[in-house]
Amino acid sequence: MNLSDLAGNAALKAQLGAARRLPHALILSGPAGSGKHTLARALAQAFVCTGEGERPCGRCRDCRLAAEGAHPDVVPVERFLSPEEREKPLKVDAVRTLRADAYIRPNQALRKVYLIARADTMNPSAQNALLKVLEDGPDYAAFLLLAENPLALLETIRSRCVHYELSPVDEAEALDWLRDRYPDRAPSDLARAAAACGGWLGRAVALLEEEAPEDPKLARALEELCAALEHRSELELMEWSVRVQNEKWTREQMGRLYPALAARARDALAGRDARWGASLSPAGLMDLARLAREGAAAIAGNVSPAHNAGWLAAQLAGLCRAGQKA
């Protein structure tokens, strides 16, 4: 199987390459930035590919349409959601609509592929609705469930899917990948992103393209944390962690926070961010970068966002007490 677009993950690629036929239901798991969507896109192409030889061929009309997100038989779950629902847990009504759609035959390909992002946000009712089509759906239907926490899926769902877990790449491989993707970026920028991403290339891309702060919730969190450190206020830090719990932050959102914090620490140490530099001493900024690495590893290890935020607030409160200009 041609999975050249997916970096690293040699064992996973070998496992998929050895499969005679793709299962009709797969769970693709890994933290934000791990390549779940890249792998899902490649598998969707493979399901609908009509080319010769290795699949996906990348050349046939079906492969090209799937790669562009325009294939009528590659159906993202977002198609059944309103804009307001796309950041909320998947509900049973959307799953029932998807299930009904699955019994409509494909438009042009031999298979019809459903991409279910944030599958681990489904409540039991939604999962049971999906279970019915996983068990008794038409032969042409395939389902790709993307999840940060696969254990949030019911055992009955997991038992009917083949699970593929993505792995982080090492720093050297991340750097090589970034060099190919960003040939015009400064080597120092690429090295910093490769070191800070924890092996998850999507996070490295976010660091380089500064995508994370575009999330209003994340931008507000960075502002609140910086202000709390400026004021040396443990109360403000704890209030922030409570807001994370009340707002029901996802692992993906927490996962984006840590690269952003690491970037602030690096920029402040390099003299490019005066405000964060005034909030923490150089030693404190180095501690912040370390906390960002530890927090990212914890959230990748399925620590809940609420507990993760509480841990971060407590650690930053420790910097305040240590008197490192915090």
Side-chain angles (χ1 to χ4, degrees):
M1 178 173 291
N2 180 8
L3 297 174
S4 57
D5 287 345
L6 180 68
N9 289 279
L12 183 152
K13 289 177 178 178
Q15 188 179 1
L16 281 165
R20 286 188 171 185
R21 186 174 185 271
L22 284 175
H24 82 289
L26 301 92
I27 296 170
L28 312 179
S29 71
S34 60
K36 297 188 297 295
H37 293 273
T38 299
L39 178 57
R41 183 170 60 249
L43 292 174
Q45 286 179 272
F47 273 117
V48 301
C49 177
T50 54
E52 298 290 334
E54 188 178 35
R55 294 190 175 187
C57 71
R59 299 180 301 275
C60 69
R61 181 170 181 265
D62 289 280
C63 274
R64 293 197 305 272
L65 286 172
E68 295 165 1
H71 199 293
D73 298 318
V74 177
V75 186
V77 70
E78 288 80 7
R79 187 175 297 180
F80 310 111
L81 301 172
S82 68
E84 296 76 20
E85 293 174 321
R86 291 177 183 177
E87 295 299 323
K88 297 178 180 178
L90 292 175
K91 294 184 178 180
V92 66
D93 288 345
V95 176
R96 286 172 178 162
T97 305
L98 180 152
R99 186 178 66 194
D101 187 83
Y103 289 94
I104 301 173
R105 296 196 64 83
N107 285 275
Q108 66 185 52
L110 296 177
R111 304 297 297 272
K112 195 170 186 180
V113 188
Y114 292 88
L115 306 179
I116 307 176
R118 302 183 301 112
D120 48 342
T121 69
M122 289 187 290
N123 62 25
S125 295
Q127 293 192 48
N128 283 321
L130 180 65
L131 179 62
K132 293 180 180 179
V133 74
L134 295 183
E135 291 178 325
D136 302 319
D139 291 341
Y140 55 75
F143 303 88
L144 303 178
L145 284 67
L146 283 63
E148 290 189 31
N149 178 19
L151 294 179
L153 295 168
L154 297 175
E155 172 59 28
T156 48
I157 293 282
R158 287 184 277 127
S159 67
R160 286 160 178 78
C161 301
V162 176
H163 182 194
Y164 295 103
E165 183 176 6
L166 288 106
S167 302
V169 303
D170 61 41
E171 187 173 330
E173 189 170 13
L175 184 56
D176 287 341
W177 186 87
L178 290 172
R179 285 172 179 151
D180 289 340
R181 185 180 178 108
Y182 299 99
D184 299 326
R185 291 297 294 264
S188 58
D189 290 345
L190 300 179
R192 283 196 298 271
C197 72
W200 306 116
L201 296 176
R203 295 180 183 172
V205 170
L207 284 170
L208 289 171
E209 298 184 358
E210 297 183 351
E211 292 175 347
E214 294 177 3
D215 180 342
K217 190 178 290 186
L218 179 56
R220 188 186 71 198
L222 292 170
E223 168 62 28
E224 290 173 347
L225 290 175
C226 186
L229 291 171
E230 283 181 320
H231 303 153
R232 302 188 184 188
S233 174
E234 296 183 34
L235 176 60
E236 289 179 30
L237 290 167
M238 295 308 160
E239 288 175 341
W240 172 79
S241 71
V242 171
R243 276 193 292 278
V244 169
Q245 181 175 358
N246 291 341
E247 293 175 0
K248 295 182 171 57
W249 277 43
T250 65
R251 284 186 174 84
E252 184 174 359
Q253 288 170 320
M254 285 300 297
R256 289 199 298 267
L257 175 64
Y258 287 110
L261 282 175
R264 296 303 187 278
R266 289 193 307 275
D267 287 347
L269 285 167
R272 294 192 296 267
D273 193 318
R275 189 176 176 201
W276 281 84
S279 299
L280 290 170
S281 68
L285 291 168
M286 292 177 66
D287 279 340
L288 179 62
R290 173 182 56 80
L291 292 175
R293 292 192 299 270
E294 293 176 2
I299 205 70
N302 290 330
V303 174
S304 74
H307 282 90
N308 192 272
W311 169 85
L312 177 61
Q315 296 298 313
L316 293 178
L319 295 186
C320 292
R321 289 192 297 270
Q324 295 174 339
K325 289 189 182 178

